[in-house]
Amino acid sequence: MTPMLRLYNTLTREKTAFAPIDPAKVRMYACGPTVYDAAHIGNARPIIVFDLLFRLLRHLYGEAHVTYARNVTDVDDKINARALERGISIRELTDGTLAQFHRDIRDLGVLMAEDVNRAGAPARFIEPRATDHIAEMHRLIEGLVAAGHAYVAEGHVLFDVPSMPDYGALSKRPLDEMEAGARVEVAPYKRSPLDFVLWKPSKAGEPSWPSPCGIDVPGRPGWHIECSAMSWKHLGKTFDIHAGGIDLIFPHHENEVAQSRCCFGTDVMANVWLHNGFLQVEGEKMSKSLGNFITIRQVLDDWPGEVVRLNMLKTHYRQPIDWTLRGLEESNRMLDRWYEAAGEAAPDAQAPGGVVEALGDDLNTPAAIGELHRLAGTDAGALKAGAGLMGFLPATKAQREAERVGAAGIDVARVEALIAERKAARAAKDWAASDRVRDALTAMGVSVKDNKDGSTTWTVAG
């Protein structure tokens, strides 16, 4: 019997038991990066959170029975502008930015295609790019026009929002509020201020493709249509879970729902919608003008990816998170304690029930982390297994220390020689010499511990 998983569904505003359409084919989609610039630390939150959900689903339903698609937006106004600004091609910009994004998230312990997919078996992690799905976008757009839910106007194709009676069911926004926001900039060819673009003509220098619906001029897709096309291609007309940041609920996810449901005539696009909360830095909204805009790579230059991952998961995913230096320091100390407790123990064959139960309650990571703290004092094997399920403690204590030493640029031979010198000074009761050596080690970034058995061990301070 599969352990229970309960998830908070934005669509219903309730936390209910998760029941996949087909337990042998659990399907999940998440909105990924727009690859025009280095991803910031706020972008890392959904990547880490929904990586954890993917790990949990694989644990509950079996690795061969869960498929995760996380898209890449590689056609966008920001991409066009940045490529022009840098004097490079759009493909060069998007390929380079995506490669950097992959390096960043791999360091955060996020499962990648090479970790999940097996030769000769269906891919279980898929990272579709928008520009590889133009044909699917055409089919969706033409299907919407044929069904009376979209129309052609001045080289554009627009979704006819009033044609969908329950538009707004996901965001629960009142119609007059949505109309007020839409009227800020209304194109004259729109039938309703709420109507949104499915396809538009390309300007000179912008990427372009042959347009659908018999439009003469080449064009490019609107933002929302790409996710409807990619989720349909890889997961089907309806699937189990759609995830993303809370800022995507409206208009992006609302418009995805409208496109997919109206094209395919389905009651839902996805049965469960998950959204993570916002991230602030030291109590303030992150912005370049405030000087607190931090990229993932900038954080990783100062902190191991495992520390960053733990710091992100200490707060429940639906709650806002305050990203602070103090929080990172605390997360680093937590991991030190866990590595010390786990030692060189092998992980148990099964993740401990307490950790699985906590994660099964709408990814209650604070409770799961509390359970890991308890296990740190009682069961090293269970600690390793529970932490492993969450993407922690991938290495042994010795391996982690070796990585930290390398990252800190510490001369191991010099450290060992100083420790031997200090041991000789202590044996001779030359406490002044012993203290001088300890001070030298501290200056090198090394913390020394004298053990009860007479041995001395050392770690990288911090």
Side-chain angles (χ1 to χ4, degrees), residues 125-277:
F125 175 81
I126 305 159
E127 194 175 40
R129 292 177 69 145
T131 54
D132 293 333
H133 295 75
I134 300 297
E136 288 78 13
M137 296 182 206
H138 276 207
R139 290 173 63 186
L140 275 168
I141 291 168
E142 291 175 343
L144 287 165
V145 171
H149 289 291
Y151 57 94
V152 178
E154 297 186 21
H156 296 71
V157 187
L158 297 109
F159 185 88
D160 184 2
V161 170
S163 73
M164 183 182 186
D166 59 345
Y167 179 83
L170 178 65
S171 62
K172 307 277 191 295
R173 289 193 174 198
L175 185 62
D176 57 352
E177 178 185 312
M178 290 189 287
E179 286 182 338
R183 288 185 185 280
V184 173
E185 187 176 350
V186 180
Y189 47 78
K190 283 188 177 185
R191 294 177 182 173
S192 163
L194 287 174
D195 294 350
F196 58 88
V197 172
L198 303 175
W199 190 268
K200 56 187 172 182
S202 294
K203 299 174 184 175
E206 292 182 342
S208 63
W209 294 265
S211 296
C213 305
I215 297 172
D216 294 342
V217 297
R220 58 193 178 98
W223 174 32
H224 315 299
I225 194 68
E226 65 180 62
C227 285
S228 286
M230 288 184 276
S231 62
W232 166 45
K233 170 73 176 291
H234 298 287
L235 303 180
K237 295 177 181 178
T238 59
F239 50 95
D240 297 300
I241 298 171
H242 194 312
I246 194 171
D247 56 314
L248 297 181
I249 296 176
F250 185 86
H252 186 50
H253 288 169
E254 194 74 78
N255 292 348
E256 281 187 53
V257 171
Q259 294 162 164
S260 295
R261 285 185 53 202
C262 290
C263 182
F264 302 128
T266 55
D267 292 332
V268 296
M269 178 187 183
N271 282 336
V272 180
W273 289 79
L274 302 183
H275 293 95
N276 64 273

Side-chain angles (χ1 to χ4, degrees), residues 41 60 88 137 186 254 293 337 350 407 415 460:
I41 193 62
L60 296 177
I88 59 176
M137 296 182 206
V186 180
E254 194 74 78
F293 187 90
R337 289 196 294 270
Q350 293 293 325
V415 170
V460 179

Side-chain angles (χ1 to χ4, degrees), residues 401-402 405 410-424 437 440-441 444 446-448 455-459:
E401 203 55 50
V405 168
I410 289 174
D411 183 340
V412 177
R414 174 62 176 157
V415 170
E416 296 291 354
L418 285 171
I419 287 177
E421 182 182 334
R422 178 173 175 271
K423 187 173 183 178
V437 174
L441 289 164
M444 292 174 66
V446 170
S447 177
V448 175
S455 64
T456 300
T457 53
W458 64 276
T459 60

